[in-house]
Amino acid sequence: MFARLFSALALSSLLIAPAFAAPKAPAKDPIVARVNGAVIHRSDLMLAMESLPQQYRALPLKVLYKPLLNQIVDRELIAQAAEKEKLPQDPEVKQRLAAARQQALESAYIERQLKGKVTEAKLHALYEAKVKTMKPVEEVRARHILVKTKAEAEAIIADLKKGANFAKLAKEKSIDPSASNGGELGFFTEDQMVPSFAKAAFALKPGQFSQTPVHTPFGWHVIEVEARRTKPVPTFKEMAPQLRQEAIQNVIAQVVEKLRGTAKVQLYNEDGSPMSAAPEKATPKK
């Protein structure tokens, strides 16, 4: 199973290290393979494992060990063959190697800059600051039936006025993917829908359906509102990934701003001529 799995994975996927997360070599780093004299350590295997998709990283090492080790051996053999053909001297390969080196240095530098700066305490503080600025937002939960023509929508409204079941009609008539679920859209805010649809939906009270067809670029809609509520404030757990990413981006922005403040940067046009406008120089924060 895993032999097929690893053969399906592109070799390049094992070369991409996860952002800011290079595994540290253990105190004891045994040799796990020799390939024409070249030594492969356990830490090399762990680095390759960290580069796998999340669903595979969650598996125990003993499950992945042999197929992953064989994959690393294959990569080493390919690299050695490339060395024999003197590919490192090829201009295009040199450019790729330089880009890979720059990326590795960039990731390592940023990782060090992030140490101690993206803590749970800081994320909680960021969360509290954001929650204070959040204003109550109204949401509605609605169903809809989408058809191609206004006449079809009018016929559906006529059926609803006679007591037809909205969800049943949606399954029978709607051309929207939500038809299989009775036209259910769940809760949404006004800005999440196209203006004409949102205006019609938010004008209805729970239990009401639109009395005239609603036109959007997708076609003609009949809308039924099931409930209204004030959108709850997201919990810290719900916002944690977004907060962490924002905190990381803030640190990176500060690092770059500081570096630009002491650097001499000249920009050029596509044809190599200097840009007429002077490059903008960031002012370091005090």
Side-chain angles (χ1 to χ4, degrees):
M1 173 184 172
F2 286 103
R4 293 197 302 271
L5 182 155
F6 277 85
S7 64
L9 289 174
L11 289 174
S12 59
S13 68
L14 296 176
L15 299 175
I16 303 173
F20 320 128
K24 292 181 173 59
K28 292 183 178 180
D29 193 12
I31 295 172
V32 293
R34 293 180 188 273
V35 183
N36 295 327
V39 172
I40 296 173
H41 289 270
R42 183 179 185 276
S43 59
D44 297 317
L45 187 141
M46 296 305 296
L47 181 62
M49 186 172 179
E50 285 295 321
S51 303
L52 291 172
Q54 177 60 40
Q55 63 266 36
Y56 302 126
R57 295 204 303 271
L59 294 172
L61 176 59
K62 63 181 180 180
V63 175
L64 296 175
Y65 183 82
K66 190 172 181 180
L68 184 56
L69 183 59
N70 281 319
Q71 189 74 25
I72 295 172
V73 169
D74 291 345
R75 288 168 52 201
E76 176 61 29
L77 287 168
I78 292 171
Q80 289 181 13
E83 289 280 359
K84 285 182 180 179
E85 293 189 14
K86 298 183 179 180
L87 285 182
Q89 304 306 314
D90 182 275
E92 184 179 346
V93 175
K94 281 185 177 181
Q95 188 176 23
R96 290 184 184 183
L97 289 171
R101 177 179 180 277
Q102 181 176 331
Q103 183 179 8
L105 288 171
E106 178 186 342
S107 295
Y109 183 77
I110 291 298
E111 182 185 356
R112 291 194 178 189
Q113 297 301 310
L114 287 171
K115 283 183 179 178
K117 295 179 181 177
V118 185
T119 62
E120 286 296 305
K122 290 187 177 181
L123 294 183
H124 275 281
L126 185 58
Y127 171 75
E128 293 299 331
K130 283 186 173 293
V131 167
K132 288 179 182 178
T133 63
M134 290 181 179
K135 297 180 180 179
V137 179
E138 191 175 15
E139 291 184 311
V140 298
R141 189 177 75 223
R143 295 179 185 271
H144 81 131
I145 300 171
L146 174 64
V147 290
K148 293 181 179 180
T149 68
K150 183 178 181 181
E152 289 177 279
E154 289 173 336
I156 289 169
I157 292 172
D159 288 339
L160 291 170
K161 288 180 178 179
K162 294 175 184 177
N165 180 272
F166 196 99
K168 185 178 179 182
L169 281 179
K171 290 181 180 180
E172 295 173 354
K173 308 285 187 180
S174 183
I175 59 174
D176 188 76
S178 64
S180 60
N181 197 31
E184 176 66 53
L185 295 173
F187 276 101
F188 56 86
T189 57
E190 195 167 358
D191 61 356
Q192 288 178 306
M193 298 294 178
V194 295
S196 56
F197 188 99
K199 183 179 179 181
F202 278 81
L204 297 172
K205 294 179 181 179
Q208 293 182 335
F209 59 84
S210 51
Q211 299 297 299
T212 58
V214 178
H215 188 248
T216 73
F218 305 103
W220 294 88
H221 306 257
V222 181
I223 306 167
E224 180 184 56
V225 168
E226 298 180 308
R228 300 178 78 105
R229 73 177 183 185
T230 299
K231 185 178 181 180
V233 174
T235 64
F236 173 78
K237 185 177 180 180
E238 290 170 336
M239 289 190 66
Q242 172 192 333
L243 294 169
R244 187 175 299 279
Q245 188 60 34
E246 183 176 337
I248 289 172
Q249 291 302 322
N250 287 341
V251 172
I252 293 174
Q254 291 169 9
V255 169
V256 172
E257 186 178 34
K258 182 178 179 181
L259 293 172
R260 276 184 171 266
T262 57
K264 182 178 180 181
V265 179
Q266 177 62 57
L267 304 179
Y268 298 86
N269 296 309
E270 289 185 42
D271 62 0
S273 60
M275 285 189 180
S276 56
E280 184 177 339
K281 197 171 184 180
T283 303
K285 288 185 177 180
K286 295 181 180 180

